[in-house]
Amino acid sequence: MTSQIARRLLILGAPGSGKGTIASRIAKTYGTPHIVVGDLLRQHIQRKSDESKTIKEHIDKGLLLPDDLVLKFVVDELEKIRDQGFLLDGYPRTLKQAEMLHRQMKVNHVIALNVPADEIINRLKDRWVHLPSGRVYNLQWSPPKVAGKDDETGEPISQREDDKPEVIRHRLNTHDKNTNPIKEFYKQLGLLQEFTGRESDKIWPEVKQYLDRILKDSNSQKTAA
Ligand code: AMP
Protein backbone atom coordinates (compact mmCIF):
# COMPACT_ATOMS: atom_id res chain seq x y z
CA MET A 1 0.00 0.00 0.00
CA THR A 2 1.40 3.38 -0.99
CA SER A 3 -0.62 5.84 0.98
CA GLN A 4 -4.30 6.26 1.57
CA ILE A 5 -6.38 8.48 -0.68
CA ALA A 6 -8.97 10.12 1.53
CA ARG A 7 -10.96 11.00 -1.55
CA ARG A 8 -14.49 10.03 -2.46
CA LEU A 9 -14.26 8.01 -5.65
CA LEU A 10 -16.92 6.45 -7.79
CA ILE A 11 -16.38 3.82 -10.48
CA LEU A 12 -18.57 3.18 -13.54
CA GLY A 13 -18.20 0.29 -15.98
CA ALA A 14 -20.35 -2.20 -17.85
CA PRO A 15 -20.71 -5.81 -16.73
CA GLY A 16 -17.63 -7.64 -18.01
CA SER A 17 -15.62 -4.40 -18.35
CA GLY A 18 -13.14 -5.43 -15.64
CA LYS A 19 -14.62 -2.96 -13.14
CA GLY A 20 -14.22 -5.48 -10.30
CA THR A 21 -10.54 -5.99 -11.15
CA ILE A 22 -9.73 -2.29 -11.35
CA ALA A 23 -11.76 -1.51 -8.22
CA SER A 24 -10.00 -4.16 -6.15
CA ARG A 25 -6.60 -2.91 -7.35
CA ILE A 26 -7.52 0.62 -6.27
CA ALA A 27 -8.70 -0.66 -2.88
CA LYS A 28 -5.54 -2.72 -2.40
CA THR A 29 -3.07 -0.10 -3.64
CA TYR A 30 -4.49 2.89 -1.77
CA GLY A 31 -6.29 1.26 1.16
CA THR A 32 -9.54 2.83 0.01
CA PRO A 33 -12.67 1.15 1.40
CA HIS A 34 -14.50 -0.43 -1.55
CA ILE A 35 -18.26 -0.18 -1.15
CA VAL A 36 -20.10 -2.53 -3.50
CA VAL A 37 -23.77 -1.66 -3.37
CA GLY A 38 -25.02 -5.10 -4.53
CA ASP A 39 -23.00 -6.69 -1.66
CA LEU A 40 -24.36 -4.15 0.81
CA LEU A 41 -27.90 -5.08 -0.17
CA ARG A 42 -27.17 -8.81 0.09
CA GLN A 43 -25.74 -8.21 3.59
CA HIS A 44 -29.00 -6.54 4.58
CA ILE A 45 -30.86 -9.66 3.47
CA GLN A 46 -28.53 -11.85 5.54
CA ARG A 47 -28.97 -9.67 8.62
CA LYS A 48 -32.74 -9.83 8.15
CA SER A 49 -33.10 -6.07 8.53
CA ASP A 50 -36.57 -4.48 8.37
CA GLU A 51 -36.20 -3.87 4.67
CA SER A 52 -34.75 -7.28 3.79
CA LYS A 53 -38.00 -8.66 2.37
CA THR A 54 -38.35 -5.74 -0.09
CA ILE A 55 -34.68 -5.97 -1.04
CA LYS A 56 -34.84 -9.71 -1.67
CA GLU A 57 -37.95 -9.42 -3.81
CA HIS A 58 -36.27 -6.85 -6.05
CA ILE A 59 -32.95 -8.68 -6.30
CA ASP A 60 -34.64 -11.98 -7.08
CA LYS A 61 -36.54 -10.37 -9.93
CA GLY A 62 -33.45 -8.47 -11.13
CA LEU A 63 -35.26 -5.16 -10.57
CA LEU A 64 -33.60 -1.99 -9.32
CA LEU A 65 -34.58 -1.09 -5.77
CA PRO A 66 -36.60 2.10 -5.17
CA ASP A 67 -34.26 5.10 -5.36
CA ASP A 68 -35.07 6.42 -1.86
CA LEU A 69 -34.36 3.09 -0.23
CA VAL A 70 -31.08 2.43 -1.97
CA LEU A 71 -29.90 6.00 -1.41
CA LYS A 72 -30.53 5.63 2.31
CA PHE A 73 -28.42 2.45 2.51
CA VAL A 74 -25.64 3.96 0.47
CA VAL A 75 -25.50 7.28 2.34
CA ASP A 76 -25.73 5.58 5.78
CA GLU A 77 -22.75 3.41 4.83
CA LEU A 78 -20.73 6.24 3.31
CA GLU A 79 -21.35 8.57 6.28
CA LYS A 80 -19.51 6.08 8.50
CA ILE A 81 -16.33 6.31 6.44
CA ARG A 82 -16.53 9.61 4.65
CA ASP A 83 -13.38 10.96 6.32
CA GLN A 84 -11.39 7.92 5.23
CA GLY A 85 -12.57 8.24 1.64
CA PHE A 86 -14.20 5.45 -0.33
CA LEU A 87 -14.62 3.86 -3.71
CA LEU A 88 -18.30 3.51 -4.53
CA ASP A 89 -19.22 0.71 -6.95
CA GLY A 90 -22.69 -0.20 -8.25
CA TYR A 91 -24.20 3.22 -7.62
CA PRO A 92 -25.59 5.29 -9.31
CA ARG A 93 -27.39 3.14 -11.84
CA THR A 94 -29.66 5.91 -13.08
CA LEU A 95 -29.34 9.66 -13.59
CA LYS A 96 -31.90 10.19 -10.82
CA GLN A 97 -29.69 8.26 -8.38
CA ALA A 98 -26.68 10.39 -9.39
CA GLU A 99 -28.63 13.58 -8.76
CA MET A 100 -29.95 12.33 -5.42
CA LEU A 101 -26.49 11.33 -4.23
CA HIS A 102 -25.05 14.65 -5.33
CA ARG A 103 -27.55 16.49 -3.13
CA GLN A 104 -26.63 14.37 -0.10
CA MET A 105 -22.92 13.72 -0.51
CA LYS A 106 -20.50 14.97 -3.14
CA VAL A 107 -17.94 12.64 -4.68
CA ASN A 108 -14.55 14.00 -5.77
CA HIS A 109 -13.70 11.88 -8.81
CA VAL A 110 -15.60 9.57 -11.14
CA ILE A 111 -13.65 6.87 -12.95
CA ALA A 112 -15.42 5.49 -16.02
CA LEU A 113 -14.13 2.39 -17.82
CA ASN A 114 -14.88 2.16 -21.53
CA VAL A 115 -14.28 -1.30 -22.95
CA PRO A 116 -15.55 -1.99 -26.49
CA ALA A 117 -18.68 -4.17 -26.62
CA ASP A 118 -17.05 -6.75 -28.92
CA GLU A 119 -14.31 -7.29 -26.32
CA ILE A 120 -16.85 -7.80 -23.50
CA ILE A 121 -18.93 -10.18 -25.62
CA ASN A 122 -15.79 -12.11 -26.47
CA ARG A 123 -14.87 -12.42 -22.78
CA LEU A 124 -18.26 -13.45 -21.50
CA LYS A 125 -19.27 -15.76 -24.32
CA ASP A 126 -16.67 -18.30 -23.14
CA ARG A 127 -17.76 -18.25 -19.51
CA TRP A 128 -19.30 -21.48 -18.27
CA VAL A 129 -20.41 -22.32 -14.75
CA HIS A 130 -21.04 -25.31 -12.58
CA LEU A 131 -24.34 -24.13 -11.22
CA PRO A 132 -24.50 -26.08 -7.91
CA SER A 133 -21.09 -24.77 -6.72
CA GLY A 134 -20.79 -21.52 -8.67
CA ARG A 135 -17.37 -22.61 -10.05
CA VAL A 136 -16.57 -20.54 -13.10
CA TYR A 137 -14.60 -21.67 -16.16
CA ASN A 138 -13.48 -19.75 -19.19
CA LEU A 139 -13.00 -21.79 -22.34
CA GLN A 140 -10.13 -19.51 -23.40
CA TRP A 141 -8.17 -19.04 -20.16
CA SER A 142 -9.28 -21.63 -17.65
CA PRO A 143 -11.11 -24.48 -19.40
CA PRO A 144 -12.36 -27.52 -17.48
CA LYS A 145 -10.08 -30.58 -17.59
CA VAL A 146 -12.78 -32.51 -19.44
CA ALA A 147 -14.87 -30.53 -21.93
CA GLY A 148 -18.34 -29.73 -20.59
CA LYS A 149 -17.67 -31.23 -17.12
CA ASP A 150 -16.95 -29.72 -13.71
CA ASP A 151 -13.40 -30.54 -12.50
CA GLU A 152 -14.43 -31.46 -8.95
CA THR A 153 -17.68 -33.36 -9.44
CA GLY A 154 -17.69 -34.35 -13.12
CA GLU A 155 -21.19 -32.89 -13.36
CA PRO A 156 -22.19 -30.92 -16.48
CA ILE A 157 -21.34 -27.24 -16.65
CA SER A 158 -23.55 -24.76 -18.43
CA GLN A 159 -23.59 -21.32 -19.94
CA ARG A 160 -25.67 -18.72 -18.13
CA GLU A 161 -28.52 -17.52 -20.25
CA ASP A 162 -27.35 -13.93 -19.73
CA ASP A 163 -23.79 -14.72 -20.90
CA LYS A 164 -24.97 -15.63 -24.40
CA PRO A 165 -23.78 -13.09 -27.03
CA GLU A 166 -27.21 -11.78 -28.02
CA VAL A 167 -28.22 -11.36 -24.36
CA ILE A 168 -24.92 -9.66 -23.48
CA ARG A 169 -25.39 -7.23 -26.34
CA HIS A 170 -28.84 -6.36 -25.01
CA ARG A 171 -27.49 -5.95 -21.44
CA LEU A 172 -24.71 -3.69 -22.71
CA ASN A 173 -27.14 -1.54 -24.67
CA THR A 174 -29.33 -1.13 -21.60
CA HIS A 175 -26.28 -0.34 -19.50
CA ASP A 176 -25.10 2.33 -21.96
CA LYS A 177 -28.55 3.87 -22.15
CA ASN A 178 -28.62 4.26 -18.36
CA THR A 179 -24.97 5.18 -17.91
CA ASN A 180 -24.48 7.77 -20.65
CA PRO A 181 -26.62 10.42 -18.89
CA ILE A 182 -24.78 9.66 -15.62
CA LYS A 183 -21.42 10.21 -17.31
CA GLU A 184 -22.71 13.42 -18.87
CA PHE A 185 -23.88 14.60 -15.41
CA TYR A 186 -20.42 14.07 -13.89
CA LYS A 187 -18.71 15.48 -16.98
CA GLN A 188 -20.63 18.72 -16.58
CA LEU A 189 -19.47 18.84 -12.98
CA GLY A 190 -15.87 18.34 -14.14
CA LEU A 191 -15.51 15.11 -12.14
CA LEU A 192 -15.42 12.52 -14.91
CA GLN A 193 -12.21 10.74 -15.90
CA GLU A 194 -12.61 8.16 -18.68
CA PHE A 195 -10.27 5.25 -19.36
CA THR A 196 -10.61 3.34 -22.60
CA GLY A 197 -9.02 0.02 -23.51
CA ARG A 198 -9.44 -3.68 -24.10
CA GLU A 199 -7.43 -5.12 -21.21
CA SER A 200 -7.53 -4.37 -17.50
CA ASP A 201 -3.74 -4.79 -17.35
CA LYS A 202 -3.35 -1.89 -19.81
CA ILE A 203 -6.07 0.27 -18.25
CA TRP A 204 -4.82 -0.16 -14.68
CA PRO A 205 -1.47 1.72 -15.08
CA GLU A 206 -3.38 4.70 -16.44
CA VAL A 207 -5.85 4.66 -13.56
CA LYS A 208 -2.96 4.37 -11.13
CA GLN A 209 -1.10 7.27 -12.72
CA TYR A 210 -4.25 9.39 -12.42
CA LEU A 211 -4.81 8.45 -8.77
CA ASP A 212 -1.14 9.01 -7.91
CA ARG A 213 -1.49 12.50 -9.31
CA ILE A 214 -4.60 13.12 -7.21
CA LEU A 215 -2.78 11.88 -4.14
CA LYS A 216 0.21 14.11 -4.86
CA ASP A 217 -2.03 17.14 -5.45
CA SER A 218 -4.04 16.61 -2.28
CA ASN A 219 -0.85 16.11 -0.25
CA SER A 220 0.67 19.31 -1.60
CA GLN A 221 -2.57 21.17 -0.83
CA LYS A 222 -2.35 19.86 2.75
CA THR A 223 1.29 21.02 3.02
CA ALA A 224 0.40 24.45 1.67
CA ALA A 225 -2.58 24.82 4.04
P1 AMP B 1 -25.34 -6.41 -8.52
O1 AMP B 1 -24.67 -7.33 -7.54
O2 AMP B 1 -24.62 -5.13 -8.72
O3 AMP B 1 -25.66 -7.11 -9.83
O4 AMP B 1 -26.75 -6.01 -7.87
C1 AMP B 1 -27.69 -6.99 -7.52
C2 AMP B 1 -29.06 -6.37 -7.39
O5 AMP B 1 -29.08 -5.40 -6.34
C3 AMP B 1 -29.57 -5.65 -8.62
O6 AMP B 1 -30.14 -6.52 -9.57
C4 AMP B 1 -30.63 -4.74 -7.99
O7 AMP B 1 -31.80 -5.47 -7.66
C5 AMP B 1 -29.96 -4.32 -6.70
N1 AMP B 1 -29.14 -3.10 -6.86
C6 AMP B 1 -27.77 -3.02 -6.89
N2 AMP B 1 -27.36 -1.76 -7.04
C7 AMP B 1 -28.49 -1.00 -7.13
C8 AMP B 1 -28.74 0.39 -7.32
N3 AMP B 1 -27.76 1.30 -7.44
N4 AMP B 1 -30.04 0.80 -7.37
C9 AMP B 1 -31.06 -0.06 -7.24
N5 AMP B 1 -30.89 -1.38 -7.07
C10 AMP B 1 -29.63 -1.87 -7.01
Side-chain angles (χ1 to χ4, degrees):
M1 185 170 90
T2 339
S3 168
Q4 195 157 343
I5 308 191
R7 307 294 280 169
R8 300 194 287 269
L9 310 175
L10 200 154
I11 187 160
L12 299 172
S17 65
K19 176 164 64 87
T21 304
I22 299 288
S24 49
R25 288 185 192 179
I26 295 175
K28 191 161 166 240
T29 307
Y30 301 99
T32 311
H34 179 198
I35 307 297
V36 183
V37 173
D39 291 351
L40 211 67
L41 297 172
R42 282 182 283 270
Q43 284 161 17
H44 271 278
I45 298 178
Q46 300 241 304
R47 285 206 304 268
K48 303 217 182 315
S49 65
D50 293 346
E51 299 91 348
S52 53
K53 194 164 162 268
T54 316
I55 301 174
K56 188 167 183 318
E57 279 169 6
H58 282 77
I59 292 188
D60 286 350
K61 291 186 192 141
L63 298 173
L64 288 185
L65 267 107
D67 289 330
D68 290 344
L69 192 62
V70 82
L71 179 78
K72 178 177 164 294
F73 290 139
V74 171
V75 171
D76 282 355
E77 195 66 23
L78 299 183
E79 284 290 356
K80 290 185 213 156
I81 51 165
R82 64 181 300 160
D83 295 340
Q84 273 172 268
F86 54 76
L87 172 64
L88 183 58
D89 182 346
Y91 190 100
R93 297 240 171 142
T94 61
L95 175 61
K96 177 138 182 269
Q97 289 190 354
E99 290 167 346
M100 288 169 87
L101 179 69
H102 190 67
R103 281 196 291 272
Q104 295 249 342
M105 185 182 292
K106 310 257 182 297
V107 296
N108 305 116
H109 309 276
V110 176
I111 292 169
L113 306 178
N114 299 327
V115 176
D118 68 295
E119 177 67 37
I120 294 181
I121 291 168
N122 199 30
R123 276 181 203 172
L124 296 184
K125 77 175 184 1
D126 287 329
R127 187 163 76 165
W128 286 67
V129 284
H130 174 240
L131 287 174
S133 67
R135 261 185 294 283
V136 178
Y137 298 90
N138 186 290
L139 302 189
Q140 291 182 54
W141 308 300
S142 52
K145 290 182 193 132
V146 177
K149 302 264 195 281
D150 175 49
D151 287 355
E152 306 265 319
T153 63
E155 290 167 352
I157 54 172
S158 50
Q159 192 175 31
R160 276 173 40 174
E161 202 50 44
D162 57 359
D163 279 347
K164 294 188 175 160
E166 60 285 4
V167 184
I168 303 171
R169 198 173 290 281
H170 178 72
R171 260 162 71 202
L172 292 177
N173 284 342
T174 309
H175 180 270
D176 283 356
K177 219 171 86 209
N178 290 333
T179 312
N180 288 341
I182 300 175
K183 284 199 211 162
E184 194 50 41
F185 175 75
Y186 288 122
K187 196 172 176 179
Q188 296 292 327
L189 291 167
L191 302 179
L192 185 74
Q193 192 69 30
E194 299 196 73
F195 298 89
T196 302
R198 290 185 166 267
E199 289 170 49
S200 299
D201 282 348
K202 297 222 168 105
I203 295 179
W204 166 242
E206 291 178 29
V207 173
K208 184 170 182 302
Q209 197 180 33
Y210 169 69
L211 293 176
D212 284 344
R213 201 173 69 233
I214 289 171
L215 188 64
K216 204 164 140 237
D217 290 352
S218 68
N219 282 344
S220 56
Q221 273 165 22
K222 263 190 231 148
T223 320

